[in-house]
Amino acid sequence: MNETNGGGEVTTTRSAMAWSWRREVPMLTIILGMFVASALAWSHVDLPIPTHWNASGEVDGYGGRFERLLLFPLIALGLYGLLVVLPKADPARANYESFASSYGWIRLGITAFMGLLHGFVVATALGANVNMFLVFPLAIGVL
């Protein structure tokens, strides 16, 4: 973005929404960690894998490796991509500058939430006794 200072000189300032490794690396690291955790767990999970819990905290749905180990990382990657592109595609894109910092924190929060849930999903797939009925509301509260 070019601006003119008081002396008539044109200076270049960086947009708050411009790509920044410092802002993007934490989110990309979380997503990469999700894929790594899935790859490491892939051959160690027993099938079928619990995929859904009812209101009483009892397992009432099962699935395979793809659904249980790859779905969360793929959704997180898709959300990440969508939230990167959204400010560029939105007709009101100029407004994003006014809340760029908050938007970055929202993006990081969503990515961290997905990573946290995926961690519990992988732990459950590996046989850990995780009370998803307790974990999910706590994760929502932290978000």
Side-chain angles (χ1 to χ4, degrees):
M1 178 183 328
N2 293 330
E3 296 177 352
T4 305
N5 64 13
E9 298 171 350
V10 175
T11 60
T12 302
T13 59
R14 187 177 171 127
S15 164
M17 294 299 294
W19 178 271
S20 164
W21 278 108
R22 190 176 59 115
R23 183 176 47 241
E24 302 302 322
V25 164
M27 290 176 269
L28 293 171
T29 302
I30 292 169
I31 294 169
L32 178 63
M34 293 169 73
F35 280 106
V36 168
S38 293
L40 293 173
W42 191 268
S43 63
H44 300 288
V45 298
D46 294 326
L47 296 175
I49 304 168
T51 58
H52 191 268
W53 290 260
N54 62 22
S56 299
E58 301 163 344
V59 176
D60 66 355
Y62 293 90
R65 285 184 177 98
F66 175 82
E67 180 181 4
R68 198 62 177 149
L69 296 177
L70 288 179
L71 195 57
F72 265 121
L74 289 172
I75 290 172
L77 184 61
L79 277 172
Y80 172 81
L82 178 67
L83 293 174
V84 166
V85 171
L86 188 63
K88 295 168 183 60
D90 189 345
R93 63 182 141 274
N95 293 335
Y96 285 86
E97 290 290 330
S98 65
F99 63 95
S101 177
S102 297
Y103 187 70
W105 283 107
I106 290 167
R107 290 176 51 221
L108 180 59
I110 290 170
T111 306
F113 174 75
M114 294 294 291
L116 178 68
L117 285 182
H118 184 64
F120 288 117
V121 163
V122 170
T124 303
L126 291 171
N129 188 12
V130 177
N131 184 350
M132 291 300 272
F133 192 61
L134 176 65
V135 167
F136 194 73
L138 286 175
I140 291 285
V142 170
L143 180 61

